[in-house]
Amino acid sequence: MSTATTPSAAEAELAVQARQAQAKSAGYWAGVWKRLRRDPVTIVCASLLLLMLLAIVFAPLLAPHDPYQGSMIRRLRAIGTPNYPLGTDELGRDILTRLLHGGRLSWFMGITPVVFAFVIGTTLGVTAGYVGGKVNMLIMRTTDVFYAFPSVLLAVAISGALGAGIFNAILALTLVFIPQIIRVAESVTQGVRSLDFVDAARASGASGFTIVRVHVLGNVLGPIFVYSTSLISVCMIIASGLSFLGLGTKPPEPEWGLMLNTLRTAIYVQPWVAVLPGACIFVTSICFNLLADGLRQAMDVKG
Amino acid sequence: MILYLLRRALYAIPIALAVGFVCFMLVQIAPGDPINAIVPPDAPADVVEQVRKDYGLDKPLPMQFGLWLYKVVQGDLGRSLATGRPVWSDLSTAIGNTLMLAFCASLLGFLLGCILGGLAGTFRGSAVDRGAVGLAVAGVSVPHYWLGMVMVVIFSVQLNWLPAMGAGPGGSSDWSWDWDHVKHLILPMVTLSVIPMGIVTRTVRGLVAEIMNQEFITALRGKGMTRGAIFLHVVKNAAPNALAVMGLQLGYLMGGSILVETVFSWPGTGLLLNSAIFQRDLPVLQGTILVLAMFFVALNLIVDLMQTALDPRIKRA
């Protein structure tokens, strides 16, 4: 399995899948869509995520109060208080409003690092897999080093050293996920590289760049993309975790992890209000996870 | 195979060195002069210069790394900025506490994961399977620091059954195996066990289902072998991969317990890291990360060697 030096069985399987990918016809995406539509779990998760996305995008219109404006006389109200349906926090700010606004940063910090890591990791991984030799050696051995840290530890180490801040947290998380994507990209690319149609392209005089662009990328992006979607859930948990530790977002900015941290002191007064932001992280994370599972099955990528 | 084992063991050395280098660089990437990470901000200028010389910070970077490494190998991780004590003195007790918590949590997680995964893999497609898969997904998706808070709300605040904080009565950090201490362990242990439970369930389910589909199982059935005996064959085939996943999970928990330890004020490396971050105590941060990462490197090596030894089919050149 995913030990430090050898690609896991799952990664090897990804390569095999990529090999079969050449058999994909024009109807491939139609097939994927058909399979996705028939998968109730994926549909429910995707709809929930879409609803949440709309809610946080239109947060300023939907939120009943100001996310920063608190009041000392209405601190820590219970769930169901008139005017404050989800209660108020330790500074008297409306929880519903802050959850709506907080989702923006939590989603942003959960998705951006994966997008960056997807771009950088795919570039490096495909290069390593296609070029091979010394380039492969250099990239993959560097990857091994970062793999030698548990993800949470590496994220905490980097953002802990750089100091609190959204930018530093995103940088740290991107660095955490790049090696993981490189590994998958490299093993999938190696599987495709040795196929006949790549040899044929080379024999007909195509340059390395053209081969990668036309023949390799089309066959490797699918599996890498599916793998990356499954990282969003992890990324969101770690990103909110960083804010929970006081790294990442700084107060008074609304963010689910940070809200969870500041509400921790209220756990004996309004316990159920205090755990609400975490419930939001949980629901988002589980939906992204199930969505990634659904995509993997629909796109017929194993791993 | 001996050759492979030897090469794998030797490969751990450059990895460990590189991991050390990354930890060394942590202080370098910190904003500001690294000297500020070693001396308190109110130190007089001549002391600052003296420390700069003592630590070799006036020398080029590669030499600094060499000097740092030389000290680390001798067990000198520097001094804490906050307390002035050697980093190692606080770290050694903390690491023991983290190790115990991570070990108990992984054990519980593995046990549950093997049972759930085994059942799910054997009765694929049944209600048991769906339940186990659902639990597994929830286990890997749940923010464990939040789960910890929910546990505290239910079992400490509402029911008042178990303590919410610390590792022993009166905030003591000395461990002993009596009920007063063990009841402090339960909530963090259960919270932390959820992740390995989820991952082990998924792995074992996949392995069992795959093995059950293989021809030799059909052959054994055809031979009239009992279910129990077939079960032993499945276990034997699934063990190497399952053990590898479990070994790595223990390592991930060592690093991942930071957040859960913070929730429960468990006196381990997580709490140490948390206060180091809060006080910007970089020597403590660096030392703790280094020790945890080295532990993970060693664990990786052991898992790899064990997997090869257990499964002679794995022939890696």
Side-chain angles (χ1 to χ4, degrees):
Chain A
M1 302 310 286
S2 46
T3 47
T5 49
T6 46
S8 72
E11 284 160 359
E13 250 178 282
L14 280 178
V16 175
Q17 288 295 321
R19 199 166 297 169
Q20 289 160 357
Q22 57 174 322
K24 288 171 190 168
S25 61
Y28 172 71
W29 288 108
V32 168
W33 176 234
K34 208 167 137 193
R35 263 167 286 172
L36 270 182
R37 258 188 334 194
R38 284 201 195 136
D39 183 355
V41 178
T42 310
I43 293 301
V44 169
C45 287
S47 321
L48 262 176
L49 286 174
L50 194 69
L51 264 176
M52 267 202 254
L53 183 67
L54 287 174
I56 60 175
V57 165
F58 295 108
L61 299 174
L62 294 170
H65 298 275
D66 183 290
Y68 301 101
Q69 187 62 50
S71 162
M72 281 312 180
I73 54 163
R74 45 173 166 81
R75 293 189 307 166
L76 292 172
R77 291 289 165 85
I79 296 176
T81 308
N83 244 335
Y84 302 98
L86 295 180
T88 58
D89 72 1
E90 76 288 352
L91 295 175
R93 296 170 296 197
D94 179 44
I95 293 278
L96 176 63
T97 304
R98 285 181 66 81
L99 283 180
L100 285 168
H101 281 271
R104 301 176 142 201
L105 265 181
S106 294
W107 275 57
F108 181 70
M109 284 172 69
I111 294 175
T112 337
V114 178
V115 174
F116 286 155
F118 174 74
V119 174
I120 303 169
T122 305
T123 313
L124 288 172
V126 170
T127 311
Y130 186 78
V131 179
K134 284 210 175 95
V135 176
N136 180 294
M137 180 86 171
L138 183 74
I139 295 175
M140 296 319 288
R141 292 298 84 88
T142 315
T143 308
D144 283 352
V145 175
F146 285 93
Y147 236 82
F149 290 89
S151 336
V152 180
L153 190 68
L154 187 60
V156 169
I158 297 173
S159 53
L162 289 173
I166 298 171
F167 177 78
N168 289 344
I170 290 178
L171 184 70
L173 286 165
T174 308
L175 281 172
V176 166
F177 293 114
I178 289 176
Q180 309 191 1
I181 295 180
I182 289 183
R183 278 221 173 162
V184 173
E186 194 251 5
S187 82
V188 181
T189 308
Q190 280 211 334
V192 173
R193 187 181 68 151
S194 50
L195 296 179
D196 288 345
F197 69 90
V198 175
D199 283 340
R202 199 176 295 126
S204 56
S207 69
F209 182 73
T210 311
I211 296 175
V212 168
R213 191 172 55 85
V214 178
H215 302 285
V216 177
L217 274 185
N219 286 313
V220 299
L221 278 182
I224 306 173
F225 177 76
V226 169
Y227 179 75
S228 303
T229 40
S230 72
L231 291 179
I232 293 179
S233 154
V234 186
C235 186
M236 219 160 231
I237 292 177
I238 304 183
S240 294
L242 286 179
S243 296
F244 184 73
L245 283 177
L247 299 164
T249 335
K250 286 180 217 163
E253 218 58 48
E255 196 272 341
W256 292 341
L258 186 64
M259 288 171 71
L260 203 56
N261 184 24
T262 55
L263 281 167
R264 206 149 57 92
T265 47
I267 204 163
Y268 289 93
V269 190
Q270 290 294 352
W272 298 112
V273 174
V275 297
L276 275 175
C280 293
I281 307 172
F282 183 35
V283 172
T284 319
S285 148
I286 204 168
C287 283
F288 270 116
N289 229 332
L290 290 168
L291 184 69
D293 278 356
L295 268 181
R296 177 178 301 143
Q297 268 165 24
M299 287 172 74
D300 202 18
V301 181
K302 284 199 187 127
Chain B
M1 188 166 103
I2 300 290
L3 203 69
Y4 167 75
L5 293 179
L6 209 66
R7 271 177 51 170
R8 176 65 187 85
L10 283 178
Y11 184 54
I13 296 171
I15 288 286
L17 275 176
V19 165
F21 182 69
V22 172
C23 291
F24 167 73
M25 286 307 286
L26 283 179
V27 172
Q28 308 291 322
I29 60 169
D33 190 338
I35 191 85
N36 295 329
I38 300 165
V39 294
D42 53 350
D46 54 323
V47 174
V48 173
E49 277 321 298
Q50 188 55 43
V51 173
R52 196 187 291 275
K53 272 226 174 68
D54 288 350
Y55 276 78
L57 287 176
D58 48 350
K59 300 196 171 66
L61 208 62
M63 250 181 108
Q64 282 186 37
F65 176 57
L67 279 171
W68 177 80
L69 199 66
Y70 180 71
K71 280 188 176 164
V72 165
V73 172
Q74 293 173 320
D76 177 10
L77 294 171
R79 278 173 183 280
S80 160
L81 290 183
T83 62
R85 284 199 298 270
V87 170
W88 178 248
S89 70
D90 288 342
L91 189 54
S92 51
T93 41
I95 207 123
N97 285 332
T98 294
L99 196 63
M100 191 185 65
L101 176 61
F103 190 76
C104 293
S106 348
L107 216 61
L108 180 66
F110 299 162
L111 213 69
L112 290 173
C114 285
I115 296 171
L116 284 173
L119 284 174
T122 318
F123 305 106
R124 215 163 176 170
S126 68
V128 181
D129 183 23
R130 280 197 295 276
V133 169
L135 265 178
V137 174
V140 294
S141 311
V142 73
H144 42 288
Y145 39 95
W146 172 71
L147 184 66
M149 277 175 73
V150 174
M151 294 277 216
V152 168
V153 167
I154 297 174
F155 294 103
S156 305
V157 180
Q158 307 278 13
L159 297 171
N160 206 9
W161 285 355
L162 293 163
M165 277 185 172
S172 80
S173 56
D174 297 316
W175 184 259
S176 64
W177 284 104
D178 53 32
W179 174 240
D180 270 344
H181 284 84
V182 170
K183 70 180 179 189
H184 282 82
L185 178 67
I186 295 175
L187 287 185
M189 177 179 82
V190 172
T191 306
L192 208 54
S193 74
V194 163
I195 311 165
M197 185 274 287
I199 292 174
V200 172
T201 301
R202 277 184 172 185
T203 312
V204 170
R205 173 180 181 264
L207 284 169
V208 169
E210 195 188 310
I211 295 165
M212 294 289 270
N213 270 337
Q214 276 176 20
E215 281 175 1
F216 79 90
I217 294 288
T218 321
L220 291 179
R221 270 212 194 103
K223 228 170 69 174
M225 200 177 246
T226 59
R227 286 198 109 159
I230 292 177
F231 176 71
L232 282 181
H233 278 272
V234 174
V235 170
K236 209 172 144 192
N237 277 278
N241 280 334
L243 281 177
V245 170
M246 293 179 194
L248 289 183
Q249 281 305 311
L250 175 63
Y252 284 125
L253 283 198
M254 291 278 301
S257 66
I258 303 169
L259 292 152
V260 170
E261 285 183 16
T262 307
V263 173
F264 292 101
S265 299
W266 182 262
T269 50
L271 205 64
L272 199 65
L273 269 178
N274 194 19
S275 66
I277 288 165
F278 195 65
Q279 298 166 320
R280 285 208 65 71
D281 194 343
L282 284 173
V284 174
L285 182 82
Q286 188 184 42
T288 311
I289 305 263
L290 178 73
V291 171
L292 286 176
M294 285 303 163
F295 185 86
F296 194 55
V297 171
L299 203 66
N300 252 321
L301 175 66
I302 296 169
V303 164
D304 254 21
L305 296 182
M306 249 177 50
Q307 203 182 6
T308 319
L310 277 175
D311 193 348
R313 284 172 306 178
I314 301 177
K315 278 204 194 99
R316 288 180 271 208

